[in-house]
Amino acid sequence: MGDESVFDELKEECGVFGIIGHPDAARLTYYGLHALQHRGQESAGMVATGGTGFRYHRSMGLVHEVFNGEILKGLVGDTAIGHVRYSTSGESLLTNAQPLVFHHGAVGQLALATNGNLINADRLKKELESRGAVFHTTSDTEVIAHLIVQSGASCLEEAVIEALNQLVGAYALLILTNDQLLVAQDPHGLRPLSMGMLGDSYVFSSETCAFDVIGAEPLRTVEPGELLILDLKGKEELRSLPFAEPAPRAVCSFEYIYFARPDSDIDGINVHAARKRLGGELYREAPVEADVVTGVPDSSTSAAIGFAEAAGIPYELGLIKNRYVARTFIQPSQHLREQGVKMKLSAVRKVVEGKRVVIIDDSLVRGTTSRRIVRMLKEAGAREVHVRISSPPVRHSCFYGIDTSDRTQLIAAQHSVEEIREIIGADSLSFLSEEGLIRAVGRTPEQGNCGHCLACFNGKYPTAIEEELPQVAEGKSR
Ligand code: AMP
Ligand code: SF4
């Protein structure tokens, strides 16, 4: 198996939402998933229960395409979990759409929705298959389900704890049965997962922006290594069990840099405000004389505003995005990706003509976007184009569910900053430093790196990886 196929199987990033004990559970989950749409546009799904059996619906497409009023009416029950999925490879299959639903003699009905990626999924899958498990999907989530149902534990929560302790990787996980909702966060807290309250109902979401949309109050982050157990019949209060030894916190830096919605808070830090600070820090580290600052819409807008503010240079809309073209990364081939960028962005000639332009992008992965944009700005008459990236160079692959690609495609893994500047045709190019990133996000100093995962920048993975991913140990992809 070549590196390509290994990476194709690894890619998975998603959003999860759940609510317990609310008469409008399905409708609220629909709105929650809609707010999380940026985390996954390939498929959406929902499972609802009133305690006597599941109703569920999953399909390929955007949330508003997957559900309609009739379908939501059929999702009867006061508890629901939902999922949006994003995939970049040949796994675009309905069978992989979540939540995954299982029927098991001892456990009964079981639905799982996860955001993240397991590093040891292949090994666990082989072991489970050797014990008779039959897999219907290529999703890591099914591995978790089989671990739960194959456990010899006497109750569900023990089976779940046993299963979680075998997982290596990133996961924000919701598990629903007809009796309980269980919510878990991996021991490093790699993917965001928050708890909120709507009236008397607990709500869970990958991002807090979904709470605002439904009028829920954010309560707190689901802690790394924490399992929350909620009883559907309201017999018991919410219980919190630590299921693993505390590990150093390692929240994905890319959530702050690019992935999360600007109106979300991660561990109490607003994403837009953090991005503005990233821009300000970037100016202090790599100042440049220029006439206008602009950002690659929409994900770099906050950082561009922060850079402009710190520099005292006007922020302008130098690039306009056509909102009706999906994110460039979703295009499967390089050729299509390049076409996608062309379709997606246009330069505003009147803003850039004859000017020295600073263009801020939140990240540089393959270099495709920057190369296109520099050319576009120059074609629109920009006199100079200075590229500033509000994150460090991505030199290592992510194994935790963000598609930062195979190492051979990472431009900064193959080239120096000066070489990249030449390739993208910019007059100057600078990246934010790791220290600048940590300072700007402003997490409290839990550890030396303030509880960030920075592995795609520095190759220091928070979990063990060599054992599970031999291609990494051989240095082919890292
Ligand atoms: P590239 O064009 O390959 O250099 O990728 C960088 C661009 O893609 C930036 O404009 C980012 O906003 C965006 N980006 C970064 N990471 C991701 C990701 N995981 N999925 C989709 N887009 C991304
Ligand atoms: Fe996020 Fe990078 Fe860590 Fe992946 S490797 S979880 S993208 S910080």
Side-chain angles (χ1 to χ4, degrees):
M1 192 168 17
D3 281 348
E4 277 275 291
S5 52
V6 170
F7 278 92
D8 282 350
E9 282 167 24
L10 283 168
K11 289 166 191 163
E12 192 168 298
E13 46 201 5
C14 311
V16 296
F17 183 91
I19 182 162
I20 178 164
H22 196 289
D24 283 324
R27 203 162 272 270
L28 291 165
T29 302
Y30 171 78
Y31 295 131
L33 292 179
H34 189 252
L36 298 175
Q37 185 77 81
H38 61 289
R39 299 186 70 86
Q41 298 103 42
E42 183 196 273
S43 67
M46 194 191 305
V47 176
T49 179
T52 52
F54 283 176
R55 304 288 176 94
Y56 53 92
H57 181 75
R58 299 178 311 165
S59 188
M60 304 304 284
L62 299 170
V63 174
H64 76 269
E65 296 164 339
V66 169
F67 299 103
N68 59 34
E70 273 311 297
I71 291 169
L72 288 176
K73 233 184 266 170
L75 294 168
V76 185
D78 62 1
T79 298
I81 63 170
H83 190 269
V84 284
R85 181 166 191 270
Y86 172 95
S87 152
T88 51
S89 65
E91 288 183 274
S92 302
L93 302 169
L94 180 58
T95 46
N96 281 341
Q98 296 190 33
L100 295 182
V101 175
F102 302 87
H103 303 261
H104 187 263
V107 178
Q109 284 183 308
L110 191 71
L112 284 91
T114 41
N115 170 212
N117 196 76
L118 301 181
I119 284 176
N120 61 345
D122 283 353
R123 180 170 59 78
L124 291 172
K125 193 172 171 182
K126 278 189 199 117
E127 285 168 15
L128 286 159
E129 278 173 338
S130 72
R131 297 205 296 269
V134 178
F135 282 81
H136 300 282
T137 76
T138 57
S139 159
D140 291 359
T141 308
E142 193 177 359
V143 172
I144 307 176
H146 280 286
L147 288 172
I148 295 170
V149 298
Q150 280 203 3
S151 152
S154 57
C155 68
L156 180 70
E157 62 192 63
E158 272 175 33
V160 169
I161 291 173
E162 207 177 90
L164 296 180
N165 275 298
Q166 295 177 64
L167 309 179
V168 179
Y171 51 89
L173 170 66
L174 303 182
I175 304 173
L176 182 67
T177 71
N178 282 303
D179 301 309
Q180 286 178 320
L181 174 66
L182 294 96
V183 180
Q185 168 70 291
D186 73 71
H188 292 276
L190 274 148
R191 299 263 77 87
L193 181 61
S194 292
M195 171 160 82
M197 199 98 224
L198 180 65
D200 295 332
S201 304
Y202 284 106
V203 205
F204 298 89
S205 174
S206 290
E207 287 185 42
T208 61
C209 62
F211 297 159
D212 296 331
V213 165
I214 61 164
E217 280 298 314
L219 284 182
R220 67 172 173 90
T221 295
V222 179
E223 293 298 328
E226 181 178 25
L227 174 66
L228 292 166
I229 302 158
L230 299 99
D231 202 307
L232 262 56
K233 313 274 168 10
K235 280 183 291 218
E236 288 176 45
E237 282 299 296
L238 164 112
R239 282 179 296 138
S240 162
L241 291 179
F243 68 83
E245 286 295 310
R249 184 74 202 268
V251 69
C252 170
S253 303
F254 245 92
E255 293 280 353
Y256 288 109
I257 294 164
Y258 164 80
F259 211 51
R261 237 171 72 156
D263 53 340
S264 288
D265 296 341
I266 302 172
D267 287 344
I269 296 173
N270 173 249
V271 170
H272 162 72
R275 286 182 191 161
K276 259 185 88 177
R277 291 193 297 271
L278 291 171
E281 197 68 38
L282 180 59
Y283 173 73
R284 283 183 283 281
E285 287 188 0
V288 58
E289 281 197 22
D291 305 308
V292 290
V293 176
T294 192
V296 180
D298 296 317
S299 53
S300 307
T301 304
S302 308
I305 294 171
F307 188 99
E309 231 173 68
I313 303 171
Y315 165 79
E316 294 282 1
L317 287 181
L319 289 169
I320 297 295
K321 179 177 171 182
N322 181 334
R323 286 174 201 290
Y324 305 100
V325 179
R327 286 185 175 194
T328 48
F329 261 51
I330 292 165
Q331 315 287 346
S333 70
Q334 182 75 5
H335 171 66
L336 278 180
R337 223 172 347 250
E338 296 203 8
Q339 273 195 353
V341 174
K342 230 188 281 175
M343 283 156 58
K344 198 172 138 183
L345 294 168
S346 320
V348 184
R349 183 173 286 275
K350 289 276 186 291
V351 170
V352 301
E353 206 164 24
K355 305 264 178 59
R356 296 169 299 171
V357 179
V358 183
I359 173 81
I360 309 290
D361 203 352
D362 55 82
S363 52
L364 197 136
V365 182
R366 298 171 175 92
T368 317
T369 309
S370 292
R371 198 166 61 229
R372 287 257 147 212
I373 283 170
V374 171
R375 196 186 310 157
M376 199 181 281
L377 290 170
K378 293 224 161 165
E379 281 170 5
R383 187 147 57 90
E384 290 172 19
V385 178
H386 301 276
V387 177
R388 293 291 179 274
I389 308 290
S390 59
S391 60
V394 175
R395 297 202 167 100
H396 304 267
S397 305
C398 175
F399 302 107
Y400 305 118
I402 293 269
D403 170 27
T404 51
S405 198
D406 160 354
R407 201 174 179 203
T408 57
Q409 290 176 15
L410 300 174
I411 194 167
Q414 313 295 333
H415 298 280
S416 69
V417 174
E418 175 51 23
E419 285 167 354
I420 301 171
R421 185 201 63 73
E422 240 186 276
I423 293 169
I424 66 174
D427 292 283
S428 75
L429 167 70
S430 294
F431 291 83
L432 185 65
S433 67
E434 264 174 50
E435 302 70 37
L437 163 66
I438 292 167
R439 226 181 354 257
V441 171
R443 294 172 59 85
T444 47
E446 295 155 45
Q447 292 92 28
N449 69 4
C450 296
H452 284 268
C453 174
L454 299 161
C456 50
F457 308 121
N458 62 19
K460 292 181 193 154
Y461 293 90
T463 67
I465 52 164
E466 279 80 359
E467 238 177 75
E468 309 293 347
L469 299 169
Q471 81 277 16
V472 173
E474 287 162 23
K476 282 196 209 142
S477 323
R478 202 171 113 184

